Amino acid sequence: MSMELMERILIVGCGNMGGAILQGWLRSGMEPSRFTIADPGLEAAPEGVALVREVPEEAFDVVLLGVKPQLLDAVAPQVTKAVGARTVLLSILAGVELATLSGRFSSNGGLVRLMPNLAAAIGKSPLALVGEGLREQDRAALESLLQPLGSPEWLQDETLFDAVTALSGCGPAFVYRFIDSLAAGAVALGIAPAQAQRLALATTEGAALLAASSPYGPGELARRVASPGGSTQAGLDVFDTDEKLLRLVEEAMRAAERRSAEMGKAARGG
């Protein structure tokens, strides 16, 4: 299947993540007429995008599953109507494994698990992928389709998907919480809340952009900002004592990884 043949795309369940993916595709210049949303609760679709309440009884080139993982069994019989022998099924259902998808959608042109985050809306999302049943040309076409959303990364081992979910899927929320904490820390030092928010956002935006373009890793950049005996180093010492920051982040990621695995077990009926 060439990129040109991945024309007709059905999005089943267009919540926050599905909406961000659609926004990223439309932002890149893709024609709205290529997309159909099947969602009984969505009030309106972007201009030019078809919105239906039930899954159409016709095969699409690509079907993006964006419902909540616990709804898989309820929607699978309906989605099957839109999955033909050449349809590539993309799933963003956290914890739902390829084997589980294969059991629900036996006829398809390939199954792919996709882990994006909300930055797909601006073309800046990491996109972890693992799939089965794809021909090499389908894989290349899928990469081209996803490129406007960010950076596709194929995983060799599906068992890593829960860990990647904790990093790339949950990570933005952890970063947002850290930004909020920076602002709260500034308020505790006497800076007005609104100004603290602006300064915290500008600080993290600049730091992230610099880290993305620098030949140095984030750890080295932190070292370069911190002069020995200076104020930055005094703050870093708080993070580094007993590896407090590292241990806290690792604990949060392990909790997210466990929850992703639990949702996968529930989807399997285990």
Side-chain angles (χ1 to χ4, degrees):
M1 182 182 292
S2 69
M3 174 61 176
E4 289 71 26
L5 293 179
M6 282 192 171
E7 277 293 317
R8 301 182 64 245
I9 301 168
L10 174 67
I11 300 173
V12 182
C14 197
N16 291 336
M17 194 63 254
I21 290 173
L22 176 59
Q23 186 179 343
W25 276 330
L26 295 175
R27 180 178 175 273
S28 74
M30 293 173 66
E31 288 294 329
S33 59
R34 293 176 62 177
F35 301 98
T36 299
I37 297 171
D39 191 318
L42 190 67
E43 291 185 4
E47 185 176 355
V49 174
L51 174 61
V52 296
R53 300 307 177 188
E54 297 182 355
V55 176
E57 293 192 36
E58 55 180 306
F60 285 76
D61 300 320
V62 177
V63 172
L64 173 66
L65 267 182
V67 299
K68 295 182 184 302
Q70 57 268 35
L71 295 179
L72 175 60
D73 282 337
V75 303
Q78 303 302 315
V79 176
T80 300
K81 300 183 297 185
V83 179
R86 297 297 303 132
T87 301
V88 173
L89 183 73
L90 277 175
S91 169
I92 59 173
L93 277 59
V96 177
E97 299 165 341
L98 291 173
T100 301
L101 294 171
S102 181
R104 274 58 168 191
F105 307 101
S106 56
S107 176
N108 57 75
L111 298 171
V112 179
R113 289 183 69 184
L114 170 66
M115 176 48 62
N117 63 40
L118 292 177
I122 58 171
K124 295 294 183 181
S125 173
L127 302 161
L129 298 159
V130 65
E132 65 178 27
L134 286 172
R135 298 184 304 171
E136 201 58 41
Q137 57 265 44
D138 296 336
R139 182 174 165 130
L142 183 61
E143 289 178 7
S144 296
L145 179 66
L146 295 175
Q147 204 74 51
L149 307 178
S151 307
E153 293 270 354
W154 289 94
L155 302 181
Q156 297 302 314
D157 188 344
E158 190 181 7
T159 61
L160 294 173
F161 222 82
D162 292 328
V164 173
T165 296
L167 174 60
S168 299
C170 307
F174 303 157
V175 173
Y176 301 147
R177 184 61 63 84
F178 184 74
I179 296 170
D180 206 36
S181 296
L182 278 178
V187 171
L189 298 180
I191 300 176
Q195 188 171 50
Q197 283 280 345
R198 291 195 299 271
L199 290 170
L201 284 169
T203 298
T204 49
E205 179 184 26
L209 289 172
L210 181 58
S213 62
S214 174
Y216 303 108
E220 174 60 17
L221 287 172
R223 190 192 69 77
R224 287 170 176 257
V225 173
S227 302
S231 56
T232 301
Q233 189 59 54
L236 290 176
D237 287 344
V238 175
F239 288 153
D240 296 341
T241 299
D242 298 325
E243 297 184 320
K244 280 189 289 192
L245 180 61
L246 175 61
R247 291 179 185 278
L248 182 64
V249 172
E250 182 179 334
E251 184 179 348
M253 291 184 67
R254 287 192 183 279
E257 181 188 36
R258 283 195 302 272
R259 182 56 187 147
S260 179
E262 289 167 359
M263 290 190 291
K265 184 178 180 180
R268 290 193 301 271

